[in-house]
Amino acid sequence: MLEIQRLACAAVQNALAGRNLNQVLSDTWRKNTRLAPAERSAIQDLSFGSLRFYGLLDAVLRQLLLKPVVDEQVRVLLIVALYQLQYTRAKPFAIVDHAVSTVVKLGKPAAKGLVNAVLRNFLRQQETLLAGATTEEVAVFNHPAWLITKLKNQYPAHWQQMLSIAQSPPPMTLRVNARRCTVDTYLNQLKEQGIDAQHVGGEAVVLSHALPVDKVPGFADGIVSVQDASAQYAAGLLDVTSGMRVLDACSAPGGKTAHLLEKADVDLLALDSDAERLKRVNDNLSRLQLKAELKVADAAALDTWWNGQLFDRILLDAPCTGSGVMRRHPDIKWTRRPSDIGQFSVQQNRLLEALWPTLKVGGKLLYATCSVFGEENHNQIDAYLSRHGDARSLPLAGVTAIDGQIIPDDFHDGFFYALLAKI
């Protein structure tokens, strides 16, 4: 537990400092190659859990301290240990002892007494401390105050549901490769192996209990991929048919790219500005035995990649705040700032304006984000339509959404879609 606790603390501290938690954990695995799968899983659980419930844990810690802890490593260690005491089944005395040992290993032996006292006081006063934390909205909803206020204002009927969903672990959703298998056949295969799952529409299947990817039946063989149900709407909305020329403008990590190719034999160009992330697209396509042309490029810089040939379909899965997928990425809610929304809006508009001329008359462009903020979504599209008389908004067939916005629920991440036809 000692090493697990130490590495989880480092991951959480890096995430709170602004680094992407998934990337931090990937770096951790690379630097600590001897970690067993179970150890990796434990580190991931502590890291994600501590950030998922950070608002509550921080409120409890502030009650326990006579004065703020100046040392960030010590403070984060206390947050992680409080998460273990509150949400895991590990023995409390072992958690406390390991936390004391960890602070020594971090080179801060003077903090031993503080760590021991804080954690033992939590065990003695647990109910009172948790009740005291419920006076703070940040602790109740485990989101920063600005984000809670924003969701209240933009979603007066749904904000509590959205905040509640973001505090729960995400479902493990698979996309059945229609080229290789039917949903019914795959569900029967799962049943035969004692794996409980349900069909939630299209090619989407949700497992009742998450599995390591390498344990998912058919994954290695390209029968299924991991992809949220909301993200799976994209390929159907673009209604591609064989022979079409298609652009996936911001393609990494490649889930939607692959889904389009599973739907039809299209001539697909997949772009991404990040070469490392584009490698993930290539890996996904290789596993699924699919082919596309891949290019490292900024989609808005047409002169670096476009040959002048128009597209029948364009998927613009635009960079965004990720505010619709915070249950999958709990670090987002603590590292995003209100100013980020405007910066992403500028990027999104730049991409829309640049890509529209590459679309054929009669073609369709699907604008998508995994955000729930209106500035990135319906406000962005309304403004775009007001400037472009040759663009018309089309209905989102088969998608339950409010003005294009999918509200997060048990089976869906928060997502936005706008389907635009060129007339």
Side-chain angles (χ1 to χ4, degrees):
M1 187 190 292
L2 187 66
E3 188 67 357
I4 289 169
Q5 196 178 63
R6 184 184 71 81
L7 291 174
C9 288
V12 172
Q13 185 177 355
N14 272 287
L16 290 172
R19 288 197 62 201
N20 178 280
L21 179 58
N22 284 334
Q23 186 58 57
V24 169
L25 291 175
S26 292
D27 292 345
T28 301
W29 311 152
R30 190 174 64 253
K31 294 175 184 176
N32 300 271
T33 55
R34 294 184 179 180
L35 288 171
E39 292 172 318
R40 290 188 180 192
S41 178
I43 293 166
Q44 183 167 304
D45 173 71
L46 294 188
S47 302
F48 275 77
S50 297
L51 290 166
R52 184 167 285 126
F53 298 106
Y54 178 76
L56 174 64
L57 299 170
D58 181 60
V60 167
L61 179 58
R62 283 187 278 108
Q63 293 179 75
L64 285 162
L65 295 170
L66 297 176
K67 59 182 180 179
V69 176
V70 175
D71 191 294
E72 184 65 2
Q73 275 189 311
V74 175
R75 193 185 72 83
V76 170
L77 170 60
L78 288 168
I79 290 288
V80 171
L82 287 171
Y83 170 76
Q84 290 178 282
L85 291 172
Q86 177 64 22
Y87 294 103
T88 73
R89 296 179 180 178
K91 294 180 179 179
F93 74 86
I95 294 170
V96 176
D97 288 349
H98 282 104
V100 172
S101 298
T102 296
V103 81
V104 174
K105 193 167 185 178
L106 291 173
K108 306 177 191 299
K112 285 172 56 179
L114 173 68
V115 170
N116 184 65
V118 165
L119 298 181
R120 292 191 184 280
N121 282 337
F122 172 74
L123 290 172
R124 284 192 289 266
Q125 307 170 47
Q126 196 164 358
E127 289 187 15
T128 302
L129 291 164
L130 292 170
T134 61
T135 60
E136 301 180 27
E137 275 197 328
V138 172
V140 172
F141 295 112
N142 285 294
H143 284 69
W146 74 267
L147 211 162
I148 295 171
T149 299
K150 191 168 194 66
L151 292 180
K152 281 183 178 180
N153 291 337
Q154 294 197 357
Y155 297 94
H158 297 95
W159 68 273
Q160 287 180 299
Q161 171 192 326
M162 296 167 79
L163 291 171
S164 176
I165 287 292
Q167 295 179 68
S168 62
M172 187 170 195
T173 308
L174 308 177
R175 184 188 75 243
V176 178
N177 183 349
R179 286 181 177 265
R180 308 280 299 278
C181 189
T182 67
V183 169
D184 286 343
T185 298
Y186 186 69
L187 285 172
N188 286 333
Q189 291 175 2
L190 293 179
K191 187 175 181 180
E192 289 171 0
Q193 297 185 49
I195 299 172
D196 188 37
Q198 62 178 300
H199 182 209
V200 294
E203 291 82 36
V205 169
V206 174
L207 301 185
S208 297
H209 302 285
L211 295 172
V213 170
D214 60 351
K215 302 295 183 184
V216 173
F219 180 84
D221 300 321
I223 303 299
V224 293
S225 299
V226 178
Q227 187 182 36
D228 180 74
S230 289
Q232 292 188 38
Y233 286 128
L237 289 171
L238 273 175
D239 66 308
V240 293
T241 57
S242 294
M244 282 185 172
R245 179 165 166 77
V246 179
L247 171 68
D248 188 348
C250 305
S251 61
K256 298 180 188 68
T257 311
H259 198 188
L260 287 166
L261 291 165
E262 289 170 2
K263 290 281 190 183
D265 293 317
V266 297
D267 175 13
L268 192 147
L269 171 61
L271 305 179
D272 203 89
S273 59
D274 188 322
E276 286 300 314
R277 282 172 54 81
L278 197 63
K279 288 180 182 177
R280 294 181 62 191
V281 180
N282 185 62
D283 291 343
N284 276 319
L285 296 183
S286 296
R287 178 179 60 84
L288 295 164
Q289 299 178 36
L290 299 169
K291 291 184 179 180
E293 181 182 2
L294 308 183
K295 283 189 178 182
V296 179
D298 173 0
L302 300 187
D303 59 337
T304 65
W305 63 268
W306 190 41
N307 63 6
Q309 187 177 351
L310 297 173
F311 296 97
D312 298 285
R313 298 286 188 271
I314 297 176
L315 171 59
L316 173 52
D317 190 3
C320 70
T321 57
S323 53
V325 293
M326 290 185 291
R327 67 176 165 185
R328 295 188 186 279
H329 306 283
D331 49 316
I332 287 177
K333 57 187 175 183
W334 305 113
T335 56
R336 285 282 180 253
R337 299 292 179 266
S339 58
D340 294 339
I341 301 171
Q343 294 173 13
F344 278 111
S345 295
V346 170
Q347 285 183 266
Q348 293 151 3
N349 180 65
R350 175 174 171 264
L351 286 161
L352 273 168
E353 293 287 355
L355 293 174
W356 191 248
T358 71
L359 183 66
K360 289 180 179 178
V361 173
K364 298 176 185 177
L365 180 149
L366 182 65
Y367 175 84
T369 75
C370 55
S371 171
V372 294
F373 296 146
E375 296 91 329
E376 301 180 89
N377 296 339
H378 59 84
N379 292 357
Q380 181 80 262
I381 295 302
D382 289 347
Y384 188 79
L385 291 170
S386 71
R387 297 193 305 269
H388 291 266
D390 61 345
R392 179 167 59 92
S393 179
L394 299 176
L396 303 176
V399 179
T400 301
I402 302 171
D403 292 330
Q405 183 69 60
I406 300 171
I407 305 296
D409 62 25
D410 290 338
F411 297 125
H412 298 83
D413 286 343
F415 237 84
F416 176 82
Y417 287 111
L419 185 60
L420 307 180
K422 193 167 192 177
I423 56 177

